[in-house]
Amino acid sequence: MRRPRGIIDSTGPFLFVQLCKGLRGQVPAANLTAMSGPIILASASPRRLELLQMAGFEPLVAPGSIDESTLPGESGVDLVVRLAQAKAATVDLSGDPTRGPVIAGDTVVVLDERILLKPIDAVDAREMLEQLSGRVHEVVSGWCVRCATVQGSGHQITQVRFSSLSRA
């Protein structure tokens, strides 16, 4: 089965653009130039690592373990920004102001104002794909860039039109 482009490929570039904006707009240049170490990617996402590598970076990968549960009444935007901030906070920058920056992100799909979490098994995945079939949904990506003394975060929302799937 071919992967739906909208879910897999559209989020990465937008997230990376937002991360770069965060580095330029919210993290003072003095903090970045004082850092001698590599970027630290606080994520286990192969796609985020690939995007940073495509941009010429060789980040250290340091995914932290956090509770990714949705809070009652939490929107997709609030969820991904909170999770990105929590992932970035798992990297210890104390004692070395030249470490970092730390980059973290999270992405969810939102359909009809409902957050669709990662499927738990093949049956759940099939049901999710059937819900998305022939519809427009949102892919919500949150990011966080953290240095020893400052942190910036934000989000990007992408509208994705999902093609109708056959019942093969």
Side-chain angles (χ1 to χ4, degrees):
M1 180 172 138
R2 206 177 92 200
R3 282 196 236 176
R5 278 189 53 102
I7 291 178
I8 306 302
D9 296 333
S10 72
T11 61
F14 290 111
L15 177 62
F16 185 71
V17 166
Q18 290 300 314
L19 289 171
C20 291
K21 285 180 182 176
L23 284 171
R24 283 197 312 267
Q26 294 185 25
V27 178
N31 287 17
L32 293 176
T33 56
M35 289 181 226
S36 58
I39 289 173
I40 301 167
L41 178 61
S43 171
S45 167
R47 181 67 174 145
R48 290 187 182 96
L49 175 60
E50 178 186 20
L51 286 166
L52 288 169
Q53 290 171 331
M54 287 172 33
F57 299 103
E58 282 301 325
L60 294 176
V61 178
S65 178
I66 64 163
D67 178 2
E68 297 193 22
S69 302
T70 306
L71 300 176
E74 189 170 39
S75 70
V77 168
D78 291 341
L79 173 65
V80 296
V81 171
R82 178 178 60 81
L83 293 179
Q85 290 171 342
K87 289 175 184 180
T90 64
V91 177
D92 182 12
L93 294 177
S94 64
D96 186 359
T98 65
R99 272 194 86 197
V102 175
I103 296 176
D106 202 81
T107 300
V108 295
V109 171
V110 177
L111 178 66
D112 299 330
E113 298 183 23
R114 285 182 307 117
I115 299 169
L116 302 182
L117 301 174
K118 294 174 188 163
I120 55 173
D121 56 27
V123 172
D124 193 33
R126 182 180 193 86
E127 288 174 5
M128 186 181 295
L129 292 172
E130 288 173 355
Q131 289 176 46
L132 297 170
S133 180
R135 309 215 23 224
V136 174
H137 62 275
E138 294 179 334
V139 175
V140 183
S141 295
W143 57 266
C144 181
V145 179
R146 186 173 150 256
C147 302
T149 58
V150 68
Q151 173 175 296
S153 58
H155 71 278
Q156 175 74 38
I157 300 174
T158 305
Q159 296 286 319
V160 177
R161 180 173 304 282
F162 200 99
S163 296
S164 294
L165 300 176
S166 63
R167 305 233 2 131

